């Protein structure tokens, strides 16, 4: 897999997202091209960074939810878009933990607690805004590991 970083820039004339696509299994004759961004509304753009999931399931979920947001007739705030995207990724990640496997709470510490970031940038009315959410492993007070979501930042 080859990939690069994503940059979101809010300017007085609009939103600019700098992102390369990812080539998955690029040594194969038919590499999969992965879009890391999508237009989530007429006035916003969303970006996905992180683990793409088994058989790209998290990335596919991101694209599906983003397309649903883009078709919405009602304006959805930037924060609501970011919350919906990360919640749906959380649900898909939990679905991938097949029944009969070790429960997340009993699992050993992950090698990397970060799973994925979702960033949404755009305009709420006339105000430019960017909201970032993270899907990650977090240790509970009882010392068990749990998958959780968290707001990372807002500009």
């Amino acid at each position: 897999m080859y990939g690069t970083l994503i940059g979101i820039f809010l300017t007085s004339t609009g939103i600019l997202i700098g992102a390369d696509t990812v080539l998955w299994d690029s040594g194969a004759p038919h590499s999969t091209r992965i879009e890391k961004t999508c237009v989530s509304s007429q006035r916003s753009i969303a970006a996905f960074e992180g683990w793409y999931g088994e058989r790209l399931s998290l990335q596919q979920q991101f694209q599906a939810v983003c397309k649903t947001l883009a078709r919405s007739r009602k304006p959805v705030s930037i924060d609501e878009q970011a919350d919906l995207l990360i919640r749906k990724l959380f649900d898909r990640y939990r679905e991938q933990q097949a029944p009969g496997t070790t429960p997340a709470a009993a699992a050993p510490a992950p090698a990397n607690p970060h799973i994925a970031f979702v960033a949404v940038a755009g305009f709420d009315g006339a105000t430019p805004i960017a909201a970032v959410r993270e899907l990650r492993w977090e240790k509970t007070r009882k010392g068990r590991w749990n998958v959780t979501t968290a707001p990372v930042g807002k500009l």
Side-chain angles (χ1 to χ4, degrees):
M1 174 183 74
Y2 296 100
T4 61
L5 296 175
I6 297 173
I8 299 176
F9 306 95
L10 298 172
T11 69
S12 59
T13 57
I15 307 163
L16 173 67
I17 295 223
D20 291 338
T21 54
V22 172
L23 294 177
W24 190 268
D25 197 19
S26 61
H30 302 290
S31 298
T32 301
R33 180 182 161 136
I34 300 173
E35 296 294 330
K36 299 190 308 185
T37 62
C38 71
V39 177
S40 55
S41 77
Q42 291 180 350
R43 298 177 48 93
S44 62
I45 296 175
F48 176 83
E49 182 279 321
W51 184 61
Y52 295 107
E54 297 295 327
R55 294 179 302 282
L56 306 178
S57 63
L58 291 181
Q59 191 273 337
Q60 291 167 354
Q61 179 75 357
F62 168 79
Q63 289 294 330
V65 174
C66 201
K67 287 176 184 170
T68 300
L69 284 168
R71 290 190 302 266
S72 176
R73 294 177 185 248
K74 178 182 120 182
V76 181
S77 76
I78 301 300
D79 277 325
E80 289 171 348
Q81 289 180 43
D83 289 340
L84 178 64
L85 282 162
I86 203 68
R87 189 173 62 247
K88 294 295 186 175
L89 290 178
F90 173 80
D91 292 345
R92 178 59 55 96
Y93 187 82
R94 295 295 300 254
E95 286 172 11
Q96 288 181 351
Q97 293 179 348
T101 61
T102 305
N112 181 356
H114 171 71
I115 299 167
F117 284 115
V118 168
V120 182
F123 292 90
D124 277 341
T127 307
I129 189 169
V132 181
R133 304 291 187 268
E134 182 182 21
L135 180 64
R136 68 173 180 228
W137 284 96
E138 190 171 83
K139 200 170 192 175
T140 66
R141 290 181 189 171
K142 294 182 179 182
R144 296 181 176 189
W145 288 94
N146 196 20
V147 178
T148 187
T149 63
V152 174
K154 184 175 174 180
L155 299 173

